[in-house]
Amino acid sequence: MPPSVPSPRRVARILRTSLFAQVACALVLGIVVGRLWPDTATTFQPLGDGFVRLIKTVISPLVFCVVVVGIAKAGNLKAFGRIGLKALIWFEIASTAALLIGLIAANVFAPGSGMNVDPSKLDASAVDDKTAGGALPSTTEFVLNALPQSAVGAFAENSLLQVLVLACLTGAALLHLGHTKVPAILPAIEQAQEIIFAIVGFVMKLAPLAVFGAMVHLVGEYGLGVMKTYGKLIVLCYAVAVLFLVLLAVALKLVTGLSLWKFVRYTRAELLLALGTASSETVMPRMMQKLRQAGARDDAVGLVLPTGYSFNLDGASIYLSIGTLFIAQAVGVDLSLSQQVTVILVLMLTSKGMAGIPGSAFLALSATASSLGSIPAGAVALLLGVDRIMDSMRVVTNLLGNCVAVFAVSRWEGALDTDRAKKMLDGEIAFVEEDVTPAGSDPKTEAPAQTAETTQTVETEPVDSPGKGEEPAGAAQEPAEVKASLAKEPAGEVS
């Protein structure tokens, strides 16, 4: 067999050990099954839904633990406040840029022109079904909803902003009381965090099944024919998202010196999982692990990443701005410059309250159409057929935008180990699963420095272990005193 062709044994080993390979195969298999047997769409849907539920179970306690531990270890509540303020500034700049780029692209390429749709023939009630009769919160309601009514309720409802508030208060209280008054609390929270990461590791093993089920449902339910009807809109949204990510890559390089492409390669399995399940929440715990090991300080990761899920929806901003003009063009409404400025201002507000609300994109579009007064509300139903296709674009763009924000804000605050980040993204340091990290060790400091070739081996092709019941050669002859001396030595590099 030529050396360029991997052996069957190597392929099997990669499929067994590489999450990226497993998810990629599940993605392709799901598309094939959904295309050949579309009637099975609802049959496999619970695979994706169940996985999302399991991940959501651990998100709130994980965010709480990471933020509390980050504040307590940083020892400076003012620094934490500065991180929050800088994150909000970055979020506003990034999301506004996404809105402007989307609006400019929609004006230039006019994806809805020539459709000549009669809005009176559209089923406006379908939008109500999609949104379940909900509504976006006002600014006052949004602020009040971020404050917990109950400590238990914040976790039960999986409200990340409320959990963040509780975590900040708890971290501040630990700093105020000091380690001497409450010596057992911080270690207990750290141990709980290790347990949660272990649970995440267990659940992530089900990721390929989730991607398979989600893709079968997507292709079987909506079919590939939607690509023809909305082809121009779909291509434009995805192209603008790529352009926005290129601009983010330039910003990341200027601010931190890091490469976004290398980060994409570093997190390729997580991005593919988010793409397949159309949910960025499914990879939040794993992304927090990877960002922490890539040199970002715990308090920055714990605050910026979850907050971005509510305040920094770059992909959604692109979709909303292009979608608004698409609807106007499709029904023959020509928006003036002042009306387009109104679109930007309205979406700057409505896009911040979208997280966790069913059909939030349609609510934001309906609110924007109502504020203009010239677009029929029922015209929003035009996007019902393509909304699910856009989920993948929104999810990946939102996720990368928030990860870039973590690096940028961390660098701005001096909370980023740039040298470690570059080595991690270059593959010189291997990512260590935190649920298998030895007790008392820190993966951020004890992960081994390796070459890129060795790192690839660690991720996809671990060294064969002895068979069941076998011992390594010479193990039986090893003197007891040598074993004892080895046990007393500090933990070395993980191979």
Side-chain angles (χ1 to χ4, degrees), residues 91-107 240 244 247 311-325 340-352 354 364-365 368 397:
F91 293 161
E92 195 58 48
I93 293 173
S95 57
T96 302
L99 287 171
L100 288 171
I101 293 172
L103 204 66
I104 293 171
N107 276 290
V240 171
F244 179 77
L247 295 177
F311 287 93
N312 191 37
L313 304 176
D314 298 329
S317 297
I318 291 171
Y319 173 61
L320 290 174
S321 57
I322 295 178
T324 301
L325 261 69
Q340 293 192 35
V341 171
T342 302
V343 168
I344 292 293
L345 295 175
V346 172
L347 290 178
M348 284 175 65
L349 295 176
T350 55
S351 63
K352 300 297 185 293
M354 290 174 57
L365 288 169
T368 306
T397 309

Side-chain angles (χ1 to χ4, degrees), residues 296-329:
R297 207 167 65 196
D298 289 4
D299 53 346
V301 174
L303 179 61
V304 178
L305 189 63
T307 307
Y309 274 58
S310 293
F311 287 93
N312 191 37
L313 304 176
D314 298 329
S317 297
I318 291 171
Y319 173 61
L320 290 174
S321 57
I322 295 178
T324 301
L325 261 69
F326 169 80
I327 293 169
Q329 292 163 0

Side-chain angles (χ1 to χ4, degrees), residues 452-491:
E453 181 180 356
T454 307
T455 302
Q456 182 66 21
T457 303
V458 170
E459 290 183 347
T460 62
E461 189 177 356
V463 178
D464 285 335
S465 57
K468 188 174 181 180
E470 298 178 7
E471 282 188 64
Q477 308 298 326
E478 191 174 20
E481 54 269 21
V482 174
K483 293 182 180 180
S485 65
L486 289 173
K488 293 177 182 179
E489 291 180 6

